[in-house]
Amino acid sequence: MKFEHFGTGIIKGLAVTLRHLFRKPITTQYPEQKLTTSRRARGNELVWDITKCTACGTCAKACPQGVIRIVTSAKPVENRYVVEKFEVDTGYCIFCGLCVEACPFQSLLMGYSYERAKYRRHEVVHTNEMLLPSAKRPASGYMYPKLAKALPPQTLLIERDEVKG
Amino acid sequence: MALKTESFALNIGPLHPSTHGVFRMRAVLDGEVIANMEPVFGYLHRGIEKLAEERTYTGVIPLTDRLDYLASMSNNLAYVLAVEKLAEISAPERATYLRVILAELQRIASHLIAVGAFVNDCGAFFTPFLYMFREREKILDLFEMLSGQRLLYNYMRIGGFNQDIPDEFLPALQKFVSQMPGFIDEYDRLLAENEILLARTKGVGILPQDLAVNISASGPVLRASGVKWDIRKADPYCGYDRFEFDIPTGTAGDCYDRYRVRIEEMRQSLRIIEQAMKQLPSGAVKSTVPYLVRPPAGEAYAHIEAPKGELGFYLVSDNSIAPYRCHIRAPSLINLTALRDMTVGWKVADLIVIFGSIDITMGEVDR
Amino acid sequence: MTLALSGDEIAATLGGHFPGSVIEASKSHLLVKSESLFDIASYLKTAPGLDFDFLCNITAVDCFDYFEIVYQFTSLKHNHGLVVKARCHDRSNPVLPSLVSLWRGADLQEREIYDLMGITFQGHPNLKRIFLWEDFDGHPLRKDYL
Amino acid sequence: MVLNPGLGMEYHWQALPPDWPGNFWWHWLAFSVIILAFVLGLVMGFIWLERRGIGRFQIRLGPNRTGPFGLLQPIADAVKVLLKENIVPAAADKIVHWLAPLVAFVPTLMIFAVVPFQDGALLADLNVGVLYIVAISSISTVGIFMAGWSSSNKYSLLAAMRDVATVVSYEIPVVLSLAGVVLLAGSLSLNQIVMAQDIPFILLQPLAFLLFFIAASAEINRTPFDLLEADSELVAGFHIEYSGMKFALFYLTEYAEALAVSAIIATLFLGGWRGPVLPPWLWFVGKVVAVFSVMFWIRSTLPRVRIDQLMALAWKFLLPLALINLVVTAVQVLAWPEASLWAMVPVNVAIMAALVVTWSRLLKLGGGRVEV
């Protein structure tokens, strides 16, 4: 190994940093400039499709944190169960997506949106209507490739940072 | 005239910028020189081994993400390998190749942080750190594309993956692999010959070869001490024997060697990724596995070469849906065994450098 | 590939040196008496042809009736491994010999087991709780800990 | 010998530009205000410049939210820091803790008394200007040591000890490298030194410049010699227990010192206010900013040295080279023909290169385990 102990390494390092001075910054200015998240983003809230749900409770069983609570009642006339209460305590949710994987009827999806900070502790508990899909709460393509195809492509740093070292 | 001197105890951590989390070192200082040092663990103990006993085999995977949170993919891999060994499930060919790609990407990402944080500990003002974060960011982008999250991937499943890679993944990966060597060269220009870094790290914190083996050190720490031991070669899993790569080793076992080994390992990882991308077969990414895995009663130990060292999962099954016992052989914890030997006699500044060169993650040390 | 040595064969060689110390030997592991664990371990470390210089992993399993301590030895020289087990039947005061004097890698791992499983390792230089605080009550990884 | 107290003042009075309005006290007042404004304004500018500059070196943007280009960031910082609660540790030595920021800040401010902003435009054209700077600049250390000691924090104490050790060692190469400049200029007055620089002394005295730059950066604790802040080791060093206004003073001191060193380098080596076309004071400020830019460029690149390496660098590298430089300069001043001053430039550059390369081979900074 050859080391020239008279500052050549330091000068080389200074040259590297100086070259970086003329590169474009890679950071984004967050609230104004937003990157598109992954098409499979496991965003903040679950999106629940009430029409497909059969109240089987598989999601609740699959949840490692036990944050999903389902109250069902039987409807003997229609010969099926209906959900009375579907409650997700997102305060304890770790967004692992296992419930979405477990759902056999494609009625539970991960949310695509983020920025869901709340001011009150009770607001993180989501029940029935709050979980339904809406324009503000789109579903992500996690586990659903067809949905993913419809979402905009993810912004990648590698596409923005073209400079070769 | 003899001065009356007195040594004093200095608490470094648990809240200290260079303890990589909440680690505490109770150092007894004689002036600037460390006369004695005792590591104190446990500030991030979450009882993951106990929690794992109450979850289904699949439900443990999100927990493993939270062990070494800078290398979640490797943790997932080690765990699913252990379960697959226990339940005698084999992943499809495409999944094994993908696992290799992801594990190696994760190794690069983890080593980037290790080196960046190490140079930061040497006192560089975040510049190398941020350059390395930039490349890590690209890897995280790729992981986000696959799994939907940037840090806690929860992507691997028992018997493969939960979903196949999207179409745009391989082109992006190809672009990354072709760019990355240039960036590694740039890091070398920035750091490798820097006289101050050499002065701070060469010959500092030497871990002799016999001691490194004796304390069960693993990963770059062991290899920097000159032991050519890599589980990818010694006990190949996921078909690592199909790839051509070298095991970089150090000679002196000092901080500089540990840093060099990590840089070289990144290059080797890129080699592996390139080969794996070429050989990547098509097909399913998950074999048919029951929803609730019920492995037969027994035990299995699977280990992988995680970025920090040998990460092993020892699982005991009692034929139920939850592990009876899940022990994690955490490389970060065991590599710290010789911390006292490496630091006593050095200065406070060296303590930080030596500690940084071991590269630990507190999530894995305390579990 | 790290060759997993068969417990049977090792038991045969051990039988000559330490008669009666091997309780059970199977293809996957070797179950030894806890009293002779230290002697067997020191033999395994230095015996030519075995050279288990690397103590890969120590863990303890609570099996209700007894605690089972599992040692994974590896030889970096010959690239082979062996699983050695020992049992502690006394639940109120489980005691095992410490292997720190042979492999210092056992240091933190034995402390961890002491902390979480409550097994005392005799001869350990610094046996105190590692993750939990000093006056913590109980040992969380035991199955009866609630 | 009887000191003549009137001499310095008279001399200074006469050195004023003839068209300067008012009398001595007006001059004193005006320049006090100018220096305060200069220091505060440029320190804020430096803070902004350094944060933005390091941001760009690190391929990010730096503060850009307050005002155009984040220009108001230092003001926002100042307001924030000034409004913070003043916390004094219970175990602190209260009076010393209170005094320390002042003791650290005031000498730094006093340095600017002798720095010429343009020809003759300075508070006091002392005929011992360089000596005055050297003497006054080391007083800040007392303040820093007071801070470290009185905080009764082990980290601060370590930092304080490091600082004292640094300053004691680095004062010598600083003085010796300045001596070369003084020999060439034939005066200790900064204004006279600027006047003497028909060729900037960085060209005539490259080695002295290098040594002074290194030694001065060490003395004011800029990276790579920022051992007494050492955020990765000592958290924040001597000001770890300071908050509010007192912390702001330390912060100000740090940058005022950097400003002082930049100003001294600009004056002694870069020709001070001399330059074509632009007004002299602008040349001066421009040179100061340029020197400071190099400082934060270095800060953004290099890791920190260790305390024993810092000492070794001072005693084994800087001191002998400074001595050699002094001897060489003395010989040159005596023997060099006046007319061919430009020919001295390549000779001295060659001498510097040879000396640095050969001496670096002798110097080993690494290793060196200390036995307990």
Side-chain angles (χ1 to χ4, degrees):
Chain A
M1 236 183 295
K2 60 165 181 62
F3 302 119
E4 315 295 350
H5 275 289
F6 43 84
T8 43
I10 289 176
I11 290 165
K12 268 188 193 175
L14 285 170
V16 170
T17 41
L18 189 64
R19 203 170 316 131
H20 277 81
L21 184 62
F22 301 106
R23 287 190 188 168
K24 244 176 90 186
I26 52 157
T27 47
T28 41
Q29 298 297 297
Y30 165 58
E32 293 91 25
Q33 238 179 320
K34 282 182 187 171
L35 303 179
T36 317
T37 49
S38 159
R39 286 166 163 177
R40 293 176 178 178
R42 279 186 268 149
N44 261 16
E45 289 149 15
L46 293 174
V47 177
W48 178 50
D49 189 346
I50 193 167
T51 54
K52 288 182 187 161
C53 186
T54 58
C56 64
T58 314
C59 49
K61 283 176 203 151
C63 181
Q65 293 292 96
V67 300
I68 300 178
R69 208 169 123 241
I70 305 181
V71 182
T72 57
S73 61
K75 260 200 178 173
V77 187
E78 294 172 34
N79 192 21
R80 68 184 187 99
Y81 281 96
V82 289
V83 184
E84 282 189 348
K85 195 172 187 185
F86 189 89
E87 190 180 275
V88 182
D89 187 348
T90 47
Y92 286 108
C93 181
I94 58 173
F95 305 102
C96 62
L98 289 181
C99 51
V100 177
E101 275 176 69
C103 181
F105 299 100
Q106 307 194 357
S107 79
L108 200 57
L109 298 99
M110 292 306 292
Y112 183 67
S113 51
Y114 49 104
E115 294 178 326
R116 291 283 181 229
K118 301 284 192 295
Y119 283 101
R120 298 283 175 272
R121 181 72 184 80
H122 64 86
E123 287 171 33
V124 299
V125 182
H126 295 276
T127 39
N128 298 6
E129 292 77 30
M130 295 161 79
L131 289 165
L132 297 178
S134 70
K136 265 190 172 177
R137 308 180 64 255
S140 105
Y142 185 73
M143 297 306 290
Y144 295 102
K146 266 186 202 161
L147 270 176
K149 280 269 184 315
L151 290 169
Q154 180 191 353
T155 34
L156 297 173
L157 179 60
I158 201 152
E159 308 285 344
R160 290 186 291 136
D161 185 42
E162 292 282 353
V163 189
K164 242 191 129 180
Chain B
M1 188 186 78
L3 284 171
K4 185 178 176 291
T5 58
E6 199 179 321
S7 59
F8 64 100
L10 181 70
N11 251 324
I12 300 174
L15 293 172
H16 186 279
S18 304
T19 50
H20 299 220
V22 278
F23 188 63
R24 177 172 157 216
M25 291 175 272
R26 205 155 45 203
V28 177
L29 299 186
D30 179 12
E32 282 255 356
V33 182
I34 291 159
N36 196 3
M37 204 282 299
E38 188 193 0
V40 183
F41 305 89
Y43 290 92
L44 201 62
H45 181 62
R46 293 153 297 175
I48 282 182
E49 292 180 10
K50 185 75 176 174
L51 285 172
E53 290 175 12
E54 287 160 19
R55 299 192 174 192
T56 60
Y57 278 96
T58 312
V60 176
I61 298 174
L63 279 184
T64 64
D65 283 337
R66 285 151 178 83
L67 283 173
D68 178 358
Y69 39 77
L70 301 177
S72 297
M73 225 34 124
S74 305
N75 302 342
N76 284 357
L77 177 60
Y79 174 74
V80 297
L81 283 178
V83 180
E84 283 167 15
K85 198 169 171 184
L86 193 62
E88 285 158 7
I89 298 166
S90 65
E93 196 73 334
R94 182 176 170 84
T96 44
Y97 276 96
L98 276 177
R99 280 175 177 182
V100 168
I101 292 176
L102 296 186
E104 293 308 316
L105 274 179
Q106 186 69 81
R107 187 184 317 281
I108 296 174
S110 176
H111 281 351
L112 282 171
I113 292 207
V115 174
F118 164 68
V119 182
N120 237 27
D121 288 347
C122 291
F125 188 75
F126 288 99
T127 309
F129 188 67
L130 282 169
Y131 292 173
M132 289 174 190
F133 252 60
R134 171 187 57 192
E135 267 64 67
R136 175 174 178 263
E137 185 72 19
K138 294 169 185 168
I139 298 175
L140 293 197
D141 274 346
L142 293 176
F143 284 157
E144 188 193 354
M145 186 192 282
L146 296 176
S147 68
Q149 273 189 5
R150 301 170 57 77
L151 204 61
L152 307 165
Y153 310 117
N154 185 24
Y155 184 48
M156 294 190 189
R157 289 288 176 276
I158 299 153
F161 290 96
N162 64 354
Q163 45 195 332
D164 200 352
I165 54 171
D167 302 333
E168 63 264 32
F169 176 72
L170 283 179
L173 178 64
Q174 180 61 55
K175 197 165 180 182
F176 173 77
V177 170
S178 58
Q179 277 189 13
M180 189 61 192
F183 284 114
I184 298 179
D185 290 344
E186 194 174 78
Y187 304 149
D188 274 358
R189 279 204 300 282
L190 179 60
L191 299 171
E193 288 174 34
N194 189 311
E195 279 80 2
I196 296 176
L197 192 76
L198 285 170
R200 285 299 301 278
T201 55
K202 274 235 141 211
V204 173
I206 292 173
L207 182 63
Q209 187 170 342
D210 48 347
L211 184 62
V213 174
N214 197 265
I215 64 149
S216 312
S218 51
V221 177
L222 180 67
R223 286 192 285 275
S225 296
V227 186
K228 217 176 169 73
W229 177 259
D230 189 317
I231 296 165
R232 289 175 292 174
K233 285 270 194 214
D235 188 10
Y237 53 93
C238 283
Y240 264 106
D241 39 0
R242 289 177 289 206
F243 306 116
E244 219 176 273
F245 63 99
D246 304 322
I247 308 172
T249 50
T251 45
D254 54 8
C255 295
Y256 186 74
D257 276 356
R258 288 191 273 277
Y259 148 69
R260 287 312 301 170
V261 163
R262 291 202 174 93
I263 292 277
E264 289 306 320
E265 275 188 17
M266 285 195 242
R267 294 214 169 92
Q268 298 304 324
S269 291
L270 285 174
R271 261 176 84 186
I272 298 174
I273 294 172
E274 268 181 353
Q275 295 170 45
M277 274 168 69
K278 276 194 198 107
Q279 299 171 22
L280 183 68
S282 54
V285 290
K286 191 172 180 187
S287 52
T288 325
V289 175
Y291 172 59
L292 289 176
V293 183
R294 258 180 213 276
E299 59 190 49
Y301 177 76
H303 54 180
I304 67 161
E305 185 69 34
K308 311 266 189 304
E310 174 180 349
L311 175 67
F313 275 82
Y314 179 79
L315 290 175
V316 181
S317 162
D318 57 349
N319 196 18
S320 71
I321 57 167
Y324 182 76
R325 173 86 169 92
C326 169
H327 175 77
I328 302 149
R329 188 231 189 256
S332 295
L333 174 69
I334 295 168
N335 285 352
L336 283 178
T337 309
L339 187 61
R340 189 186 171 278
D341 306 58
M342 288 155 80
T343 51
V344 167
W346 293 97
K347 295 195 159 53
V348 188
D350 294 320
L351 168 68
I352 305 293
V353 171
I354 294 166
F355 180 70
S357 75
I358 296 175
D359 179 29
I360 59 152
T361 312
M362 285 322 286
E364 196 177 52
V365 172
D366 290 343
R367 274 165 287 152
Chain C
M1 214 56 161
T2 305
L3 180 70
L5 290 187
S6 163
D8 301 320
E9 293 165 17
I10 304 293
T13 44
L14 280 180
H17 292 83
F18 310 99
S21 61
V22 177
I23 301 170
E24 184 190 310
S26 76
K27 202 170 169 337
S28 62
H29 68 269
L30 188 70
L31 181 63
V32 300
K33 268 191 181 165
S34 55
E35 300 83 50
S36 49
L37 174 67
F38 187 85
D39 299 329
I40 289 176
S42 47
Y43 171 78
L44 288 174
K45 189 186 175 190
T46 48
L50 295 176
D51 293 308
F52 287 107
D53 47 3
F54 192 81
L55 175 55
C56 175
N57 181 28
I58 311 176
T59 185
V61 185
D62 183 0
C63 302
F64 290 108
D65 301 334
Y66 51 85
F67 292 109
E68 194 171 72
I69 323 295
V70 186
Y71 295 88
Q72 318 249 1
F73 297 113
T74 311
S75 167
L76 303 191
K77 197 170 161 193
H78 305 295
N79 194 9
H80 58 214
L82 177 70
V83 181
V84 175
K85 292 181 180 176
R87 282 177 185 171
C88 290
H89 287 275
D90 182 4
R91 204 173 169 80
S92 55
N93 183 27
V95 177
L96 267 182
S98 167
L99 301 188
V100 175
S101 49
L102 297 175
W103 293 275
R104 284 196 42 210
D107 185 353
L108 295 179
Q109 305 191 52
E110 283 179 356
R111 274 178 72 185
E112 186 192 334
I113 293 170
Y114 167 74
D115 187 1
L116 302 177
M117 205 63 109
I119 294 164
T120 312
F121 288 93
Q122 269 174 347
H124 191 289
N126 183 26
L127 195 65
K128 49 183 190 180
R129 286 191 178 271
I130 179 168
F131 293 145
L132 305 168
W133 52 102
E134 283 299 324
D135 45 359
F136 187 84
D137 195 24
H139 302 283
L141 274 183
R142 288 188 176 185
K143 287 284 175 185
D144 55 4
Y145 179 87
L146 291 172
Chain D
M1 198 177 88
V2 181
L3 286 171
N4 185 351
L7 185 63
M9 204 150 279
E10 265 167 30
Y11 172 78
H12 148 234
W13 180 233
Q14 282 155 4
L16 281 182
D19 58 337
W20 195 263
N23 60 15
F24 167 74
W25 290 110
W26 279 114
H27 170 79
W28 185 86
L29 188 68
F31 264 98
S32 300
V33 172
I34 288 175
I35 286 174
L36 266 178
F38 175 76
V39 171
L40 291 179
L42 226 56
V43 159
M44 286 199 174
F46 274 14
I47 293 172
W48 177 82
L49 189 70
E50 175 160 35
R51 292 186 62 179
R52 290 285 292 190
I54 287 191
R56 290 311 302 270
F57 278 123
Q58 299 175 344
I59 45 171
R60 55 190 177 86
L61 281 168
N64 64 345
R65 294 282 153 163
T66 43
F69 307 107
L71 270 169
L72 299 179
Q73 188 65 38
I75 295 168
D77 283 350
V79 169
K80 184 203 81 171
V81 152
L82 296 187
L83 290 179
K84 287 227 164 178
E85 189 190 350
N86 175 26
I87 301 166
V88 181
D93 187 339
K94 303 276 185 316
I95 297 168
V96 182
H97 190 267
W98 187 87
L99 268 178
L102 277 179
V103 176
F105 179 61
V106 171
T108 317
L109 206 57
M110 283 164 73
I111 292 174
F112 295 95
V114 295
V115 176
F117 298 94
Q118 62 185 53
D119 188 13
L122 69 171
L123 177 55
D125 189 3
L126 293 187
N127 53 7
V128 288
V130 174
L131 194 62
Y132 168 82
I133 287 176
V134 168
I136 218 92
S137 64
S138 36
I139 296 179
S140 291
T141 312
V142 178
I144 288 171
F145 187 74
M146 283 162 74
W149 175 262
S150 64
S151 304
S152 73
N153 181 310
K154 288 165 186 170
Y155 288 115
S156 339
L157 188 59
L158 270 176
M161 312 267 262
R162 284 179 178 187
D163 185 54
V164 171
T166 313
V167 169
V168 166
S169 314
Y170 276 83
E171 216 37 48
I172 300 162
V174 162
V175 174
L176 287 179
S177 53
L178 286 185
V181 173
V182 172
L183 275 183
L184 268 182
S187 169
L188 280 166
S189 153
L190 268 72
N191 206 30
Q192 300 296 319
I193 292 175
V194 175
M195 299 292 264
Q197 292 186 60
D198 291 328
I199 305 167
F201 283 164
I202 185 175
L203 298 175
L204 289 178
Q205 285 281 308
L207 185 57
F209 169 74
L210 186 73
L211 299 179
F212 182 76
F213 192 85
I214 295 174
S217 319
E219 206 169 327
I220 61 166
N221 312 300
R222 300 283 305 179
T223 313
F225 310 105
D226 59 339
L227 288 123
L228 79 162
E229 274 168 48
D231 57 332
S232 69
E233 303 148 26
L234 300 183
V235 191
F238 63 96
H239 58 60
I240 192 168
E241 296 288 3
Y242 278 88
S243 65
M245 184 74 189
K246 291 192 275 188
F247 171 76
L249 266 184
F250 272 126
Y251 202 67
L252 197 63
T253 309
E254 192 189 325
Y255 281 88
E257 280 181 338
L259 174 59
V261 166
S262 310
I264 293 167
I265 288 177
T267 310
L268 295 188
F269 292 100
L270 301 178
W273 39 263
R274 295 178 65 157
V277 188
L278 293 172
W281 62 270
L282 202 59
W283 270 107
F284 177 69
V285 172
K287 283 171 184 172
V288 169
V289 171
V291 174
F292 182 74
S293 305
V294 175
M295 277 189 188
F296 73 74
W297 175 24
I298 289 172
R299 180 182 181 199
S300 72
T301 312
L302 296 183
R304 187 184 302 122
V305 297
R306 202 170 55 197
I307 180 73
D308 56 326
Q309 294 163 353
L310 188 76
M311 295 294 126
L313 188 70
W315 294 104
K316 294 182 188 164
F317 183 80
L318 299 180
L319 177 62
L321 286 193
L323 280 172
I324 293 172
N325 182 58
L326 191 60
V327 173
V328 169
T329 314
V331 171
Q332 282 173 343
V333 165
L334 277 182
W336 200 273
E338 192 67 31
S340 58
L341 212 52
W342 274 106
M344 208 158 130
V345 174
V347 173
N348 275 4
V349 169
I351 290 176
M352 175 187 81
L355 275 177
V356 168
V357 169
T358 45
W359 215 273
S360 311
R361 292 221 172 268
L362 301 176
L363 180 75
K364 286 274 179 291
L365 284 183
R369 183 177 177 132
V370 185
E371 296 298 334
V372 216

